[in-house]
Each structure stands twice: as structure tokens, then as C-alpha cells.
Amino acid sequence: SSFTSALLSMSQDSQHGKWTVSDSDDDDEALPSSGTPAVSNPSSQYETSPSLAGKRKKEVSDGSGWALSDSDDDDDGDVKRKSVSNLPKKAPPSPKAKKVKVEDERPPSPHGRLYYIDEPEDFFESSVPRLNDTFRFYLNKVTGLDRKYNTGALHIKDILSPLFGTLKESVQFNYCFDIAWMVQQYPSEFRDRPVLIVHGDKREAKARLVKQAQPFPHVRFCQVQISQNTDIWKMMLLWYEEGFRVIILTSNLIRADWYQKTQGMWMSPLFPRLPEGSSASAGESPTFFKRDLLEYLASYRAPELEPWIQQIKEHDLSETRVYLVGSTPGRYVGPDMERWGHLRLRKLLYDHTDPIPGEEKWPVIGQFSSIGSMGLDKTKWLAGEFQRTMTTLGRSSHRSNPPMHLLYPSVDDVRTSLEGYPAGGSLPYSIQTAQKQLWLHSYFHRWKANTTGRSHAMPHIKTYMRASPDFSQLAWFLVTSANLSKAAWGALEKNNTQVMVRSYELGVLFVPSAFTFPVHKNPFLASSSSAGFPVPFDLPPTCYSAKDQPWIWNIPYSQAPDTHGNIWVPS
């Protein structure tokens, strides 16, 4: 295609440095050897038949679960539902067999309901798992991986299990829900405990969500006012008889997001209740996590959250060692500019990290699952205000210009993944945006995660970090819902006197000074050892080759079938 021929060469040695890639990284064409779900269509012909999506009722495409992967494009409102060309052509069950008509449901996955293989009995934790309590950063379990790669990882069933507390009530903040599936993830003894769903759905989408919850009277709703195509924080608040816990995560509450994608989360310690009569400032952490969490919750202006705000005030959050980095839609001036988005991150890095000798050689790494409009060239935002934030280290006046490595899956990464092409339904980079910023693609690096066994589990996680030149240390690490976009991170306006943020995002920042382990005040070790930080992908990152192309979700891929023998034909 003309777009393919226009892509820039990815082999710019001067920008990315030259590394030798270990032998283990050379098998990117090999298909996963185990756990690949069987396709439920015996006549899997390699074809370019019209997509099935166009034949479905219109209501489905307007708000279906998996197609709601938030596109961060500022200018593309026309991205339509994607489909794989040879999904099983099964007739929908008759309305008599189900209370809810099929066309009113929100399908939990692009794969269809028959795609999933059930997890083995030993997949879920039966005793308190051995977790890395230093950082409390965990990956989601991935179905089909060797068991060793799921050790220390968590499934939603594990998070909600009695192993972590006796649940009384919970709040689920998220963007995309399959209510029946979500309810089933709670253990039977907690399944009727009150759940508050915080969402941003409007009109028809809201009606569908409410209808999903009709069989579950313990599920209530809190609608927050958000602009169109805006994501919402992904967070759980869990109130136990023993205390209270916060989980900040990257997964939607649909099965596809907890199945064969790479996702991440931060799970707080169990926060105990404060003694009666404690002062208003009691229970604060050195990172002011309590203050910031309360402020962020208040920004929703939702009466349904008031009881939870009061609950949090009555608990001791002093054990928290991470900083909250959030985004809330709006235009901000003066001191408020540093409350949200990348300017919030800049302030934290200025206040809580230290300058490093030779820091101009410490690369910035960004890893994400969606890309917004960056402008006509790198100076418009990426290499300007965003890079200034990402390269801030303490109160150094040095303006460094280190390498920037951006990790985003290539077409082949998606094609050879556990899910195959449907994994691309959660990587919504559009052709309209990509064609305007071909300059960006020279920054791109492959998704390779052999160290965590997740090279074939496509990322929905988003992480940003600053690594040493030999990639053995980290100056800081951020896990967040924020993709690479001005909408998520904010953009300066009016001669840098104002910042505009378009979406709700939430993440946690790890800086060495907040942790009291042997490398206190020094950068984190970036390794899988007990002292090192568990980076979810391989370091150093692997630069795109000349033949690699970034995954773009709304163009067809019919030249080569994926792991399930399917091709990709957008509707």
C-alpha cells in the first residue's frame, strides 16, 4: 500500500544506539508452543470474505465491549468495530432461551463466546501467594503460559479472594464492563456484597450497562460526567472487615482483558482503621498518597463516592510508598497546572529524584497500547514538553537529550500472539493518525517479553521509565492507564501558561527515595531478582527492523494468517 511504502526506515543507529540482541530474542516468528486456544471453525479457509461485523445489528457496534478500547486520537472519531474474517458463523440463541436479547448485550470479546479455554484448577491461588511486597507491582496471569511465568502474578479472582481480606463492599472504577462476568469473579461467599460501578457511559451505552446488571440487585451505579471517547480511571476500592485496600490497574472488567494480554497493577497494603479520635492529618504516607487519593476522588464530584471518601479518611495509609499520578479533564492554570498529567509527573521527578552523572545517556522508555495525534513533527509535543518531563531528574539545570525508546507492537507481534489478530482490537492506532506522523515510527521498538514469558501476550499495560545506559538500573518507574497521547498526558497552551487535559488517567510512580532497601537513594536495579524492579518486558528494547510496521487497527491484514488461521478485515 502507499502507506507501507511511505513508512520511514526503522534502522536509525544514531538515534537508538547499537546493541547485540541475545539468541533468545531471535524467535519472534515462532508461534506459541502451548496454550493456543483452538479455533472453533473446522473450515478455517484463508480468505478475504467480508467482515461479519457489518451484518450484525447496529446497536452492537455502537458500544460493544472490546471495541471500546479507548482510542487516544484527538481527531479521529470514526474508528469502527473490527472483525476477524472467519469467526464461527453461529446463529444467536433465541430470545426465549435468554432473558436479554443478544443484540442488547455487550460482547465480552472480539473472539466470540466459544473462543476461551478454561483455566486449569491450579491456575488460581489456594493459599496466600508469595508476592514481591517491596514494590507491590504485579502482572496479570496469562492463560496458556508455563506455570512458572504466572508465579507471583494475579488474576482478578485472586485479588477478590478471601486470601486478601473479608470483603464487605467494593467500588469498581472502569471503562468497559461485562457485569455477569465481573460478578462471577467474586468468591461465592462475597458475591452478594454491595458493588458500586463508577462509569462514564451515556444514553444507549448506559442503558445497556444497567440492563446487564438487572439480575444483580447488589450492583449499583455511579455515572461520572466525562467527554466523549474519554477513558476513566481503572481502580478498585475494597473495604474489608479488617481494613481497606486500593488496586490501580490497567485491565477493563471483561474476560478478554484478563485472558491473554499483558496487564499490570499496583496493589496497596491492607490499610488498617485509625483509632477513634485521630486527627484529620493522621494516616498520611511519606508520599502524600492519602491526600492525593482523596483529592482525585473529590474531582469526580459524585455524591455516591462521599461515603468512600469518609471511609478512606478513617484509615491509616501511612505504609504507602508510591506517588499517585493522575489526569482529570480540564484546563488548568497557575499552581493547578502541576496537579495533573505530565506536569504532575515532572513536579514529582523534580522533587523526589536526584541528578545522575552522565544522565544524557540514560534513555527514556515509554510503552503503551494506543497512540494519539502528536503533531507534524517531534518538536510539537513529544520532543518538547513531554520529553522535558520524562528527562527531569531532581533539581538539575542540565537539559539532557537522551535516547527515547517507544515500545509498541508491530504487525508481526500481533499476528503471532496468543490471541492472533483480535489482540489488535485493543491496540487502536488508526491509519488516519499514523499517516500524519510518520516521523514517530523511527522511535518504535518491538514488544518482546521473554523474561516474563509474555512475548506473545500483547500489552494493554502502559509503563514509562528512565533506564541506565546498560539497562541494569532504573531512575524511576511508572505504571499507568495513560497511553502516548496529549489527551492523556495534557498539552501546554497559551504560551505555556495553561495546560489542557482531556481524559481521566491514573497511575503510580516508584522512585528509589521512597523505598528503604539496599539501593536507597540510588536507582532501582532493573532485574527479576528480589531486590530488582520487575520490568514486564525485555531490556534493552529491540528496535523495529526495516520490514517492521506498527500495528494499525483499521486497515486489513490478509497476506498472512495469524496463530488461529484468521486474517484481519476491518468493517
Side-chain angles (χ1 to χ4, degrees):
S1 68
S2 59
F3 171 69
T4 304
S5 60
L7 279 175
L8 298 178
S9 165
M10 306 304 172
S11 54
Q12 295 189 358
D13 290 336
S14 60
Q15 184 165 1
H16 302 291
K18 296 179 181 177
W19 308 303
T20 56
V21 181
S22 67
D23 291 340
S24 63
D25 284 340
D26 289 338
D27 64 350
D28 52 282
E29 293 301 324
L31 303 186
S33 58
S34 65
T36 306
V39 176
S40 54
N41 54 330
S43 58
S44 179
Q45 294 300 315
Y46 180 34
E47 56 180 27
T48 53
S49 63
S51 132
L52 292 180
K55 297 172 185 155
R56 291 200 181 101
K57 299 238 177 176
K58 188 166 188 287
E59 297 96 307
V60 177
S61 64
D62 205 3
S64 59
W66 70 281
L68 279 176
S69 298
D70 182 32
S71 173
D72 285 292
D73 298 342
D74 299 331
D75 52 358
D76 300 316
D78 60 345
V79 179
K80 294 186 176 67
R81 181 178 169 84
K82 308 296 160 293
S83 177
V84 178
S85 71
N86 59 351
L87 288 177
K89 299 176 175 67
K90 283 196 172 271
S94 70
K96 293 176 187 173
K98 272 188 166 299
K99 290 181 182 174
V100 185
K101 289 183 181 177
V102 169
E103 63 263 30
D104 287 335
E105 288 188 43
R106 176 176 289 181
S109 159
H111 308 288
R113 299 179 189 282
L114 302 178
Y115 166 82
Y116 298 102
I117 54 171
D118 288 333
E119 291 78 12
E121 282 300 311
D122 61 0
F123 187 80
F124 305 105
E125 303 298 333
S126 56
S127 59
V128 178
R130 290 179 59 198
L131 297 174
N132 182 341
D133 286 341
T134 305
F135 301 108
R136 310 194 67 86
F137 168 65
Y138 310 113
L139 298 180
N140 287 23
K141 288 180 175 171
V142 173
T143 302
L145 291 191
D146 189 299
R147 190 175 176 186
K148 69 180 179 182
Y149 293 122
N150 281 326
T151 302
L154 294 171
H155 188 268
I156 185 171
K157 281 189 174 177
D158 300 323
I159 297 167
L160 299 172
S161 79
L163 301 174
F164 291 111
T166 312
L167 195 65
K168 292 168 68 176
E169 201 168 336
S170 57
V171 185
Q172 297 285 357
F173 295 74
N174 223 300
Y175 182 59
C176 195
F177 298 85
D178 178 346
I179 301 291
W181 177 85
M182 180 200 77
V183 168
Q184 284 300 310
Q185 306 317 298
Y186 284 82
S188 54
E189 60 265 48
F190 302 154
R191 207 162 281 160
D192 60 351
R193 305 290 161 87
V195 180
L196 179 66
I197 300 285
V198 183
H199 69 97
D201 283 348
K202 300 174 183 175
R203 297 182 292 276
E204 296 90 347
K206 180 183 177 183
R208 279 194 296 273
L209 192 61
V210 171
K211 192 165 189 176
Q212 280 191 61
Q214 279 180 349
F216 311 108
H218 66 291
V219 175
R220 295 179 298 118
F221 292 99
C222 168
Q223 181 186 2
V224 294
Q225 297 303 313
I226 61 173
S227 59
Q228 195 172 7
N229 292 333
T230 295
D231 209 336
I232 193 169
W233 295 341
K234 293 178 173 65
M235 178 169 66
M236 301 184 192
L237 303 180
L238 306 177
W239 181 17
Y240 307 105
E241 289 180 11
E242 301 85 355
F244 161 76
R245 197 187 298 278
V246 181
I247 289 128
I248 293 169
L249 65 165
T250 63
S251 311
N252 286 287
L253 290 179
I254 58 176
R255 187 173 183 184
D257 270 32
W258 295 83
Y259 188 58
Q260 289 182 324
K261 299 184 190 301
T262 300
Q263 304 270 18
M265 74 192 82
W266 173 79
M267 176 188 278
S268 79
L270 181 65
F271 298 132
R273 199 172 183 84
L274 286 166
E276 287 286 332
S278 295
S279 69
S281 60
E284 186 55 274
S285 77
T287 59
F288 294 98
F289 183 88
K290 185 173 185 177
R291 176 198 68 188
D292 294 335
L293 180 62
L294 290 168
E295 180 181 320
Y296 285 16
L297 289 171
S299 74
Y300 273 128
R301 299 185 182 88
E304 297 93 337
L305 293 175
E306 274 305 316
W308 284 89
I309 289 172
Q310 289 308 314
Q311 280 293 333
I312 294 168
K313 287 178 180 177
E314 293 167 14
H315 283 79
D316 181 356
L317 278 61
S318 61
E319 286 298 302
T320 315
R321 293 290 175 267
V322 295
Y323 292 90
L324 269 181
V325 179
S327 293
T328 295
R331 285 186 162 90
Y332 303 97
V333 297
D336 286 348
M337 291 172 69
E338 295 181 333
R339 287 174 59 196
W340 312 107
H342 78 82
L343 295 183
R344 160 74 173 166
L345 176 60
R346 186 185 297 183
K347 178 82 164 74
L348 291 172
L349 295 176
Y350 182 82
D351 288 342
H352 304 294
T353 61
D354 295 308
I356 296 172
E359 64 186 61
E360 65 279 355
K361 295 179 180 174
W362 283 58
V364 171
I365 301 173
Q367 175 273 307
F368 38 83
S369 61
S370 183
I371 304 167
S373 183
M374 303 276 117
L376 290 176
D377 62 65
K378 65 182 183 181
T379 65
K380 295 292 185 285
W381 184 79
L382 185 77
E385 63 188 87
F386 188 68
Q387 180 165 305
R388 184 176 171 196
T389 287
M390 293 289 158
T391 55
T392 296
L393 277 178
R395 294 162 193 255
S396 167
S397 58
H398 180 63
R399 290 281 183 88
S400 63
N401 186 27
M404 184 180 283
H405 305 315
L406 302 180
L407 273 72
Y408 178 76
S410 70
V411 173
D412 259 11
D413 290 335
V414 174
R415 184 180 69 81
T416 61
S417 69
L418 287 164
E419 296 177 276
Y421 286 130
S426 297
L427 300 164
Y429 189 26
S430 75
I431 186 69
Q432 292 85 353
T433 302
Q435 283 177 321
K436 295 174 188 171
Q437 51 195 36
L438 297 176
W439 58 265
L440 178 66
H441 301 166
S442 62
Y443 288 87
F444 284 165
H445 291 66
R446 299 281 298 271
W447 172 255
K448 286 181 180 287
N450 290 325
T451 51
T452 58
R454 285 163 169 76
S455 286
H456 296 293
M458 288 299 95
H460 192 254
I461 191 174
K462 295 89 174 159
T463 55
Y464 301 82
M465 68 205 79
R466 188 86 184 268
S468 61
D470 67 355
F471 297 93
S472 67
Q473 296 178 299
L474 299 180
W476 53 268
F477 181 94
L478 175 75
V479 58
T480 176
S481 62
N483 278 304
L484 186 69
S485 74
K486 293 187 285 186
W489 284 102
L492 289 166
E493 299 176 329
K494 294 191 175 176
N495 201 22
N496 300 342
T497 61
Q498 173 175 293
V499 65
M500 186 189 44
V501 180
R502 288 176 180 264
S503 60
Y504 285 102
E505 309 291 350
L506 195 59
V508 294
L509 172 69
F510 300 81
V511 295
S513 59
F515 290 84
T516 54
F517 55 93
V519 292
H520 178 56
K521 279 285 184 184
N522 291 318
F524 294 129
L525 292 170
S527 77
S528 56
S529 70
S530 57
F533 197 92
V535 177
F537 47 83
D538 297 342
L539 295 174
T542 301
C543 191
Y544 273 25
S545 73
K547 68 180 176 62
D548 287 325
Q549 298 174 30
W551 170 261
I552 290 166
W553 80 327
N554 59 339
I555 59 175
Y557 298 101
S558 55
Q559 298 307 304
D562 67 9
T563 40
H564 304 287
N566 291 320
I567 59 173
W568 183 255
V569 184
S571 56

Coordinates of all heavy atoms in Angstrom, one line a residue, residues 233 292-300 324-332 335-346 488-490 499-501 503-506:
W233 N -10.6 6.2 35.1 CA -9.6 5.5 35.9 C -10.0 4.0 36.0 O -11.2 3.7 36.1 CB -9.6 6.1 37.3 CG -9.1 7.5 37.4 CD1 -8.4 8.2 36.5 CD2 -9.4 8.4 38.5 NE1 -8.2 9.4 37.0 CE2 -8.8 9.6 38.2 CE3 -10.0 8.2 39.7 CZ2 -8.8 10.7 39.1 CZ3 -10.1 9.3 40.6 CH2 -9.5 10.5 40.2
D292 N -3.7 12.8 48.1 CA -3.9 12.8 46.7 C -5.1 12.0 46.3 O -5.8 12.3 45.4 CB -2.6 12.4 45.9 CG -1.5 13.4 46.1 OD1 -1.8 14.6 46.3 OD2 -0.3 13.0 46.0
L293 N -5.2 10.8 46.9 CA -6.3 9.9 46.5 C -7.6 10.6 46.9 O -8.6 10.6 46.1 CB -6.2 8.6 47.3 CG -7.3 7.6 47.1 CD1 -7.4 7.1 45.6 CD2 -7.2 6.3 48.0
L294 N -7.7 11.2 48.0 CA -9.0 11.9 48.4 C -9.3 13.1 47.4 O -10.4 13.3 47.0 CB -8.8 12.5 49.8 CG -8.9 11.4 50.9 CD1 -8.5 12.0 52.3 CD2 -10.2 10.7 51.0
E295 N -8.2 13.8 47.0 CA -8.4 14.9 46.1 C -8.9 14.4 44.7 O -9.7 15.0 44.1 CB -7.0 15.6 45.9 CG -7.1 16.8 45.0 CD -5.7 17.5 44.8 OE1 -5.1 17.7 45.8 OE2 -5.4 17.9 43.7
Y296 N -8.3 13.3 44.3 CA -8.7 12.7 43.0 C -10.1 12.2 43.0 O -10.9 12.5 42.1 CB -7.7 11.5 42.6 CG -6.4 12.0 42.2 CD1 -5.9 13.2 42.4 CD2 -5.5 11.1 41.5 CE1 -4.6 13.6 42.0 CE2 -4.2 11.5 41.1 CZ -3.8 12.8 41.3 OH -2.6 13.1 40.9
L297 N -10.5 11.6 44.1 CA -11.9 11.1 44.2 C -12.9 12.3 44.2 O -13.9 12.2 43.6 CB -12.1 10.2 45.5 CG -11.4 8.9 45.4 CD1 -11.5 8.2 46.8 CD2 -12.1 8.0 44.3
A298 N -12.5 13.3 44.9 CA -13.3 14.5 45.0 C -13.5 15.2 43.6 O -14.5 15.8 43.4 CB -12.7 15.5 46.0
S299 N -12.5 15.0 42.7 CA -12.6 15.7 41.4 C -13.7 15.1 40.6 O -14.2 15.7 39.6 CB -11.3 15.5 40.7 OG -11.1 14.2 40.2
Y300 N -14.2 13.9 40.9 CA -15.4 13.3 40.2 C -16.7 14.0 40.6 O -17.7 13.9 39.9 CB -15.5 11.8 40.5 CG -14.7 11.0 39.6 CD1 -13.8 10.0 40.1 CD2 -14.8 11.1 38.2 CE1 -13.1 9.2 39.3 CE2 -14.1 10.2 37.4 CZ -13.2 9.3 37.9 OH -12.5 8.5 37.1
L324 N 0.9 9.0 43.6 CA -0.2 9.0 42.6 C 0.1 10.0 41.5 O 0.4 11.1 41.7 CB -1.5 9.3 43.2 CG -2.4 8.2 43.8 CD1 -3.7 8.8 44.4 CD2 -2.7 7.1 42.7
V325 N -0.1 9.5 40.2 CA 0.0 10.4 39.1 C -1.3 10.3 38.3 O -1.6 9.2 37.7 CB 1.2 10.1 38.2 CG1 1.2 11.0 37.0 CG2 2.5 10.1 38.9
G326 N -2.2 11.3 38.3 CA -3.5 11.2 37.7 C -3.7 12.3 36.7 O -3.0 13.3 36.6
S327 N -4.7 12.1 35.8 CA -5.2 13.1 34.9 C -6.7 13.3 35.1 O -7.4 12.3 35.3 CB -4.9 12.7 33.5 OG -3.5 12.7 33.2
T328 N -7.1 14.5 35.0 CA -8.6 14.8 35.1 C -8.9 15.8 34.0 O -8.1 16.8 33.9 CB -9.0 15.3 36.5 OG1 -8.8 14.3 37.5 CG2 -10.4 15.7 36.6
P329 N -9.9 15.7 33.2 CA -10.2 16.6 32.1 C -10.3 18.0 32.6 O -11.0 18.3 33.7 CB -11.5 16.1 31.5 CG -11.5 14.6 31.9 CD -10.9 14.6 33.3
G330 N -9.8 18.9 31.9 CA -9.9 20.4 32.2 C -8.8 21.2 31.7 O -7.8 20.7 31.2
R331 N -8.9 22.5 31.8 CA -7.8 23.4 31.6 C -7.4 24.0 32.9 O -8.2 24.4 33.7 CB -8.3 24.6 30.6 CG -8.4 24.1 29.2 CD -8.7 25.3 28.3 NE -8.4 25.0 26.9 CZ -9.3 24.4 26.0 NH1 -10.5 24.2 26.5 NH2 -9.0 24.2 24.8
Y332 N -6.1 24.0 33.1 CA -5.5 24.4 34.4 C -4.5 25.5 34.3 O -3.7 25.4 33.3 CB -4.9 23.1 35.1 CG -5.9 22.0 35.3 CD1 -5.9 21.0 34.4 CD2 -6.8 22.0 36.3 CE1 -6.8 19.9 34.5 CE2 -7.8 21.0 36.5 CZ -7.8 19.9 35.5 OH -8.7 18.9 35.6
P335 N -0.7 27.2 39.9 CA -0.3 26.1 40.7 C -1.0 24.8 40.3 O -0.5 23.7 40.4 CB -0.5 26.4 42.1 CG -0.7 27.9 42.2 CD -1.2 28.3 40.8
D336 N -2.3 24.9 39.8 CA -3.1 23.8 39.4 C -2.5 23.0 38.2 O -2.8 21.9 38.0 CB -4.5 24.2 39.1 CG -5.3 24.5 40.3 OD1 -4.8 24.2 41.4 OD2 -6.4 25.1 40.2
M337 N -1.6 23.7 37.5 CA -1.0 23.0 36.3 C -0.2 21.8 36.7 O -0.1 20.8 35.9 CB -0.1 24.0 35.5 CG -0.8 25.1 34.8 SD 0.3 26.3 34.1 CE 1.0 25.4 32.8
E338 N 0.3 21.8 37.9 CA 1.2 20.7 38.4 C 0.4 19.6 39.1 O 1.0 18.7 39.7 CB 2.3 21.3 39.3 CG 3.3 22.2 38.6 CD 4.4 22.7 39.5 OE1 4.1 22.8 40.7 OE2 5.5 23.0 39.0
R339 N -0.9 19.7 39.1 CA -1.7 18.7 39.8 C -2.0 17.5 38.9 O -2.3 16.4 39.4 CB -3.1 19.3 40.2 CG -3.0 20.3 41.4 CD -4.3 20.9 41.6 NE -5.4 20.0 41.9 CZ -6.7 20.3 41.9 NH1 -7.1 21.5 41.5 NH2 -7.6 19.4 42.2
W340 N -1.9 17.6 37.6 CA -2.4 16.6 36.7 C -1.4 16.3 35.5 O -0.7 17.2 35.1 CB -3.8 16.9 36.1 CG -4.8 17.4 37.1 CD1 -5.3 18.6 37.3 CD2 -5.5 16.6 38.1 NE1 -6.2 18.7 38.3 CE2 -6.3 17.4 38.8 CE3 -5.4 15.2 38.4 CZ2 -7.1 17.0 39.9 CZ3 -6.2 14.8 39.5 CH2 -7.1 15.6 40.2
G341 N -1.5 15.1 35.0 CA -0.8 14.9 33.7 C 0.7 14.9 33.8 O 1.3 14.6 34.9
H342 N 1.3 15.2 32.7 CA 2.8 15.0 32.7 C 3.5 16.1 33.5 O 4.6 15.9 34.1 CB 3.4 15.0 31.2 CG 3.4 16.4 30.5 ND1 4.5 17.2 30.7 CD2 2.6 16.9 29.6 CE1 4.3 18.3 29.9 NE2 3.1 18.1 29.3
L343 N 2.8 17.3 33.8 CA 3.4 18.3 34.7 C 3.3 17.8 36.1 O 4.2 18.2 36.9 CB 2.6 19.6 34.5 CG 2.8 20.3 33.1 CD1 2.1 21.6 33.1 CD2 4.3 20.4 32.7
R344 N 2.4 17.0 36.5 CA 2.4 16.4 37.8 C 3.6 15.4 37.9 O 4.3 15.4 38.9 CB 1.1 15.6 38.0 CG 1.1 14.5 39.0 CD 1.1 15.0 40.5 NE 0.9 13.9 41.4 CZ 1.1 14.0 42.7 NH1 1.5 15.2 43.2 NH2 0.9 13.0 43.5
L345 N 3.8 14.6 36.9 CA 5.0 13.7 36.9 C 6.3 14.5 37.0 O 7.2 14.2 37.7 CB 5.0 12.8 35.7 CG 6.2 11.9 35.5 CD1 6.3 10.9 36.7 CD2 6.1 11.1 34.2
R346 N 6.3 15.6 36.2 CA 7.5 16.5 36.2 C 7.8 17.0 37.6 O 9.0 17.0 38.0 CB 7.4 17.6 35.2 CG 8.6 18.5 35.0 CD 8.4 19.7 34.2 NE 8.0 19.3 32.8 CZ 7.8 20.2 31.8 NH1 7.9 21.6 32.1 NH2 7.4 19.9 30.6
A488 N -4.2 12.2 27.1 CA -4.0 11.5 28.4 C -3.0 12.3 29.3 O -3.2 12.4 30.5 CB -3.4 10.1 28.2
W489 N -2.0 12.9 28.7 CA -0.9 13.5 29.5 C -1.1 15.0 29.6 O -0.4 15.6 30.5 CB 0.5 13.2 28.8 CG 0.9 11.8 29.1 CD1 0.9 10.8 28.2 CD2 1.6 11.3 30.2 NE1 1.5 9.6 28.7 CE2 1.9 9.9 30.0 CE3 1.9 11.8 31.5 CZ2 2.5 9.1 31.0 CZ3 2.5 11.1 32.4 CH2 2.8 9.7 32.2
G490 N -1.9 15.6 28.8 CA -2.0 17.0 28.8 C -1.1 17.7 27.8 O 0.0 17.2 27.5
V499 N -2.5 24.4 30.9 CA -2.4 23.0 30.3 C -3.8 22.5 30.2 O -4.6 22.7 31.0 CB -1.5 22.1 31.3 CG1 -2.1 21.9 32.6 CG2 -1.2 20.8 30.6
M500 N -4.0 21.8 29.1 CA -5.3 21.1 28.8 C -5.1 19.6 28.9 O -4.3 19.0 28.2 CB -5.9 21.5 27.5 CG -7.3 21.0 27.4 SD -8.2 21.0 25.9 CE -7.2 20.6 24.6
V501 N -6.0 19.0 29.7 CA -6.0 17.5 29.8 C -7.4 17.1 29.3 O -8.4 17.7 29.7 CB -5.8 17.1 31.3 CG1 -5.8 15.6 31.4 CG2 -4.5 17.6 31.8
S503 N -8.6 13.5 29.4 CA -9.1 12.3 29.9 C -8.7 12.0 31.3 O -7.9 12.7 31.9 CB -8.6 11.1 29.0 OG -7.2 11.0 29.0
Y504 N -9.5 11.1 31.9 CA -9.2 10.6 33.3 C -8.1 9.5 33.1 O -8.3 8.5 32.4 CB -10.4 10.0 33.9 CG -11.4 11.0 34.4 CD1 -12.6 11.3 33.7 CD2 -11.2 11.6 35.6 CE1 -13.5 12.2 34.2 CE2 -12.1 12.6 36.1 CZ -13.3 12.8 35.4 OH -14.2 13.7 35.8
E505 N -7.0 9.6 33.8 CA -6.0 8.5 33.9 C -5.5 8.4 35.3 O -5.6 9.3 36.1 CB -4.8 8.9 33.0 CG -5.1 9.3 31.6 CD -5.6 8.2 30.7 OE1 -5.6 7.0 31.1 OE2 -6.1 8.5 29.6
L506 N -4.9 7.2 35.6 CA -4.4 7.1 37.0 C -3.2 6.1 36.9 O -3.3 5.1 36.2 CB -5.5 6.5 37.9 CG -5.2 6.6 39.4 CD1 -4.9 8.0 39.8 CD2 -6.3 6.0 40.2

